[in-house]
Amino acid sequence: LSPVNDKTPDKGLLGFYLFAWPTDPPWLYRLTQGVHVTLGIALIPVLLAKLWSVLPRLFTLPPVRSLAHALERISLLLLVGGALFEFTTGVLNVQLDYLFPGSFYPLHFYGAWVFFAAFVTHAVLRVPAAIRNLRHLRDEESELVSPNPAPSTVSRRGALAFVGGGSLLLLATTAGRSFDGPLRATALLAPHGGPEPGSGPGGFQINKTAASRGISMTETSDETWRLVIEGQGRTVLLSRTELLQLPLHSAALPIACVEGWSTSDQWWRGVRLRDLAALVGYETGAAPDVLVESLQRHGAFRRAALRDNQVRDPRSLLALFVNGEPLTPDHGYPARIIVPAAPGVLNTKWVARMTFGEL
């Protein structure tokens, strides 16, 4: 939660935050984002069934009978449009298909506000009718029934079973990427569905490879690479060998990605972020925010910010090893960030510079 990380420009009052990004429990983002993505995909049949059920009302004539009715129809248009927009952009982002114009972050953000505003407006406009019907309990013909219906082809129970079965099928082919073990292979509709990439200490899922980000072995070699640490007017340069001479600590933490997939706990070992802050004069209990910059040349999160509570957490590391072995190039060699409960995009790989100070 920092202007550096927020990719939604000029959001004004819409961008309020109620709390700092938590670090406990360390699996929190793995849970919330897994539920967000999995539930979103599983609810697609429910959304389509709901739209199908109200379809007759969308084309009733006359289209506008009063001012209140006009407002209700507009809210309905925004409600349906907002829901379809959010589901469509969300699914495309989860599948790493960036077919929509512009950046996903502001599009999805503003689409959510349109949906919320339309939902509240529509609900308020329908309250009088709902109260009136509840008071009188009138047994009248539904507005959703066609005046000249064709013979039914499916029962209500059959329709519910069809929709529920579709949701369960999507759930079964998506949810596995948030669990460990054999279930991961069932996540055919999740990003990176299928077996894990290779084996060994580095054989767990990644989004971005070193080659895709333009990272060469020359610039990450021990002879070339130096970590630049800045803060309070001081600058410290450290090689990987010099980092290894600092106190090293271990933490078992998962990686959870915004696309909904996650890994089980991996054993990371490296230097605590608060100890790096101390190198430029900050006391352990007073470590501030930090701006982390990567060697990668492009990408929305080549620069990412961590808040002071994340920096001070003893499990927050500049990791040099994972599962007992040095980081692989695709997992961020020579050094990467790992922070409990942080989205994967904020666990910056191929770290080049760290600037401590208030952000």
Side-chain angles (χ1 to χ4, degrees):
L1 299 181
S2 163
V4 177
N5 299 335
D6 194 337
K7 304 303 177 182
T8 311
D10 303 323
K11 60 192 176 304
L13 295 177
L14 299 181
F16 65 90
Y17 299 118
L18 301 180
F19 49 83
W21 195 276
T23 57
D24 275 308
W27 42 260
L28 180 61
Y29 189 75
R30 186 183 187 192
L31 171 66
T32 57
Q33 191 66 358
V35 169
H36 176 180
V37 171
T38 302
L39 190 61
I41 292 177
L43 285 177
I44 290 174
V46 178
L47 173 67
L48 296 179
K50 176 61 178 175
L51 294 178
W52 172 76
S53 71
V54 301
L55 196 62
R57 188 169 185 182
L58 299 179
F59 298 97
T60 55
L61 296 174
V64 176
R65 296 193 297 268
S66 65
L67 177 60
H69 186 244
L71 292 175
E72 181 186 333
R73 296 303 294 269
I74 293 173
S75 71
L76 191 61
L77 175 65
L78 295 175
L79 186 66
V80 172
L84 289 174
F85 182 84
E86 288 298 279
F87 273 78
T88 301
T89 55
V91 168
L92 288 174
N93 183 69
V94 164
Q95 298 301 333
L96 309 179
D97 292 327
Y98 303 109
L99 304 179
F100 36 79
S103 172
F104 168 76
Y105 307 100
L107 288 174
H108 206 64
F109 179 87
Y110 288 124
W113 276 111
V114 169
F115 174 81
F116 289 142
F119 178 84
V120 171
T121 302
H122 188 72
V124 170
L125 291 172
R126 295 299 297 169
V127 164
I131 294 175
R132 183 170 62 251
N133 290 336
L134 285 174
R135 283 177 176 173
H136 298 285
L137 295 176
R138 292 179 299 178
D139 186 16
E140 61 182 18
E141 184 176 313
S142 171
E143 295 176 323
L144 301 181
V145 176
S146 171
N148 186 24
S152 62
T153 56
V154 63
S155 66
R156 177 175 298 187
R157 181 176 297 178
L160 291 175
F162 181 73
V163 173
S167 287
L168 288 175
L169 178 62
L170 289 175
L171 178 67
T173 52
T174 303
R177 271 297 167 190
S178 295
F179 297 91
D180 302 324
L183 280 178
R184 296 183 75 82
T186 67
L188 303 178
L189 297 184
H192 313 299
E196 299 291 356
S199 59
F204 56 93
Q205 199 63 63
I206 59 172
N207 249 11
K208 303 171 184 175
T209 64
S212 71
R213 301 298 102 177
I215 307 297
S216 68
M217 294 183 63
T218 302
E219 60 188 336
T220 59
S221 67
D222 292 345
E223 294 76 21
T224 304
W225 181 83
R226 294 293 183 272
L227 173 66
V228 180
I229 306 174
E230 295 182 329
Q232 299 193 122
R234 305 182 188 180
T235 300
V236 175
L237 273 67
L238 296 172
S239 66
R240 197 171 192 276
T241 301
E242 290 170 326
L243 283 170
L244 292 174
Q245 295 172 358
L246 298 175
L248 301 182
H249 301 270
S250 298
L253 298 172
I255 292 179
C257 193
V258 294
E259 285 91 15
W261 63 265
S262 58
T263 74
S264 57
D265 285 354
Q266 312 296 325
W267 276 99
W268 307 91
R269 187 164 178 79
V271 183
R272 286 174 172 166
L273 299 187
R274 65 189 192 185
D275 292 344
L276 294 175
L279 295 178
V280 288
Y282 291 100
E283 297 181 6
T284 300
D289 307 336
V290 63
L291 175 64
V292 184
E293 299 179 70
S294 173
L295 287 173
Q296 71 181 69
R297 305 297 190 275
H298 53 85
F301 285 95
R302 63 168 297 275
R303 299 166 69 247
L306 298 172
R307 286 304 196 187
D308 56 354
N309 64 305
Q310 295 174 301
V311 174
R312 295 169 191 170
D313 193 293
R315 297 161 296 181
S316 296
L317 303 175
L318 179 71
L320 306 171
F321 300 88
V322 63
N323 298 324
E325 296 291 337
L327 296 169
T328 64
D330 289 342
H331 283 301
Y333 184 89
R336 68 166 296 161
I337 298 293
I338 188 72
V339 172
V345 291
L346 300 186
N347 290 318
T348 308
K349 297 191 288 187
W350 314 294
V351 175
R353 180 183 298 270
M354 301 177 69
T355 304
F356 289 92
E358 185 177 350
L359 296 174

